[in-house]
Amino acid sequence: MSIVTPGVVPASVLLSEPAPEWLGRWTQFAASLHFEDLPDEVIARAKLVLLDSIGVIAAGMQEPEMAALVARLVARRTGKAAAIGAGQGLDARDAALVNGTAGTMLELDEGNQYARGHPAIHVVPALLALAAETDVSGPELIVALALGYEIGARIGIASRLKVTMHPHGTWGTVGAALGVAKLHGADAGEIGRAVGIASSLGLSTSRRTMLEGATVRNCYAGFSNQLGLTAWDLAQAGLQPERDGIGTVYGTVIADDFRPEAMVDELGSRWEIARNYFKRHAACRYTHGALDALAQIVRDAGARLEPESIERMTVDTYVWAAQLDHPAPQTMLAAKFSLPFALASAIVRGQADVETFRDAARADAATQALAARVEVREDPALTAKLPGLRPARVAVTLKDGRQFQAEVLTNRGDTEDPYTAAEVEEKFRELAGPVWPTSRLEAIAGAVAGLDKAPTLAPLLDLLT
């Protein structure tokens, strides 16, 4: 006689269930999707996402940790895949790792507010690395990017990661695996095996890494790309996935409340890549609303605010942003996740660019003193506006008694208040300008712009290598 614990479903029942209906719909959809099926908006946004990702990766590759990592990998083996911005060719898996890591170094990679994460940087490096070893056309890359972005983002939408988890390195692995499978021309069964295996390969990411400034966090996306490539090899070698690995992992293991209906809601008509956001502030997106509000205050004041003239600043915002309240970050990454520092440094330097968060800025006495006078608070009414809005209210009190206040409901660059294509292209030039000469810079931008008509990726890949 078997004994069943109340409230626990017997394993025999679970194991006898068929594969989930949503997964069958997804694999058929992905296998049968052609470039001609994509809306013009998706094609245009995919090219913009790719260009933005290349610029972010190239700039991040200039950090000393990335130079050291590339040097160590090159000493072991080289290959055809570009370490973008490093002038080195690596094995595809090594390139996927370093490019994914570089892409998160500066906290400037694009994201999706509904998925609560950054889909593209988990997919683009894997696809470019694979393309260096196979014959891939521009339209094929666009389709693979759109699909990989879509399934990763939808897992983020359909589930709620545990609050202790960092979203990097989790569902992005599934996105990378699907993109890789599509570039290989996989059928529905092969796609199902690849994404099923990838669902078990996500990392046990810690949210505290970003709050403490532990830069191991930057490699999470790199590993997702590397593991996406590996998942395809495992599937082709005959290893079998769990029947519903995505539902298990994102419904019971690292996340809760997995809603399978969200995986197929408006599938093929609503594309997540077409409602993404781009970033111009080189900091955690949770700081962007407050930074945008502060910029409005500076405009209202009619002149640049001097740090010594400010008595105090207060920030009322939503719960996730309110966690970023450490006034004295010890590393560049920690500074990017500190609202007091971000606001103080933006006042001192006049903007929140890459240099705003480096060691010299963190050592600035005026910035340190002002950051200590910034108070960050959660307003439950603002938290209730998530995820569609990302509100923040900033108040500045000057020592002469004057007060300024501004409130924003969303971040500049979000779907509701998007940057233009020209602004995203300008961001690419600003970030990649110090890496490549102008002629190469414009050639890369031109190659990406013409990707929808490119019979091969070779010209773009040559420029990146």
Side-chain angles (χ1 to χ4, degrees), residues 305-326:
L305 295 177
E306 297 300 329
E308 61 272 13
S309 71
I310 298 174
E311 179 72 28
R312 64 181 180 277
M313 285 194 284
T314 60
V315 181
D316 293 292
T317 186
Y318 53 95
V319 59
W320 302 118
Q323 289 184 346
L324 311 185
D325 61 352
H326 197 305

Side-chain angles (χ1 to χ4, degrees), residues 78-254:
T78 58
K80 299 178 180 179
I84 298 172
Q88 297 285 353
L90 293 172
D91 171 81
R93 280 159 185 74
D94 290 343
L97 171 63
V98 299
N99 289 331
T101 303
T104 59
M105 289 292 290
L106 300 179
E107 196 58 31
L108 278 165
D109 49 309
E110 71 83 56
N112 184 289
Q113 67 202 69
Y114 305 99
R116 299 174 294 276
H118 302 256
I121 201 59
H122 291 79
V123 179
V124 168
L127 299 185
L128 291 178
L130 176 60
E133 298 186 344
T134 57
D135 185 18
V136 174
S137 71
E140 288 171 334
L141 182 74
I142 290 172
V143 172
L145 172 55
L147 282 172
Y149 192 112
E150 188 71 18
I151 197 168
R154 281 183 178 256
I155 295 172
I157 292 168
S159 61
R160 297 281 177 178
L161 282 178
K162 296 184 184 300
V163 295
T164 53
M165 293 286 294
H166 192 298
H168 283 10
T170 56
W171 41 256
T173 302
V174 179
L178 176 56
V180 167
K182 186 64 177 178
L183 276 191
H184 277 291
D187 60 28
E190 291 173 318
I191 288 173
R193 288 191 293 277
V195 300
I197 287 172
S199 70
S200 296
L201 301 182
L203 305 180
S204 57
T205 60
S206 168
R207 190 179 186 85
R208 284 196 63 85
T209 55
M210 70 177 193
L211 299 175
E212 293 182 5
T215 50
V216 64
R217 167 261 189 193
N218 291 330
C219 73
Y220 293 166
F223 278 114
S224 272
N225 284 279
Q226 190 179 72
L227 290 167
L229 292 166
T230 301
W232 171 255
D233 285 337
L234 295 175
Q236 289 297 291
L239 279 77
Q240 296 297 314
E242 183 180 336
R243 176 190 57 82
D244 184 15
I246 292 174
T248 298
V249 172
Y250 294 95
T252 65
V253 181
I254 66 173

Side-chain angles (χ1 to χ4, degrees), residues 435-447:
V435 181
W436 293 305
T438 302
S439 58
R440 179 169 294 225
L441 204 67
E442 296 307 320
I444 291 170

Side-chain angles (χ1 to χ4, degrees), residues 63-76 90 94 97-99 101-102 219:
E63 296 301 299
E65 300 95 327
M66 294 310 308
L69 178 58
V70 170
R72 292 181 66 85
L73 295 177
V74 166
R76 295 175 187 169
L90 293 172
D94 290 343
L97 171 63
V98 299
N99 289 331
T101 303
C219 73

Side-chain angles (χ1 to χ4, degrees), residues 312-315 325 327 339-341 343-344 370-376:
R312 64 181 180 277
M313 285 194 284
T314 60
V315 181
D325 61 352
L339 261 171
F341 179 84
L343 293 173
L370 182 55
R373 302 197 297 274
V374 178
E375 180 184 5
V376 181

Side-chain angles (χ1 to χ4, degrees), residues 437-463:
T438 302
S439 58
R440 179 169 294 225
L441 204 67
E442 296 307 320
I444 291 170
V448 172
L451 212 57
D452 51 323
K453 298 179 177 62
T456 175
L457 284 187
L460 174 61
L461 297 176
D462 287 345
L463 289 166

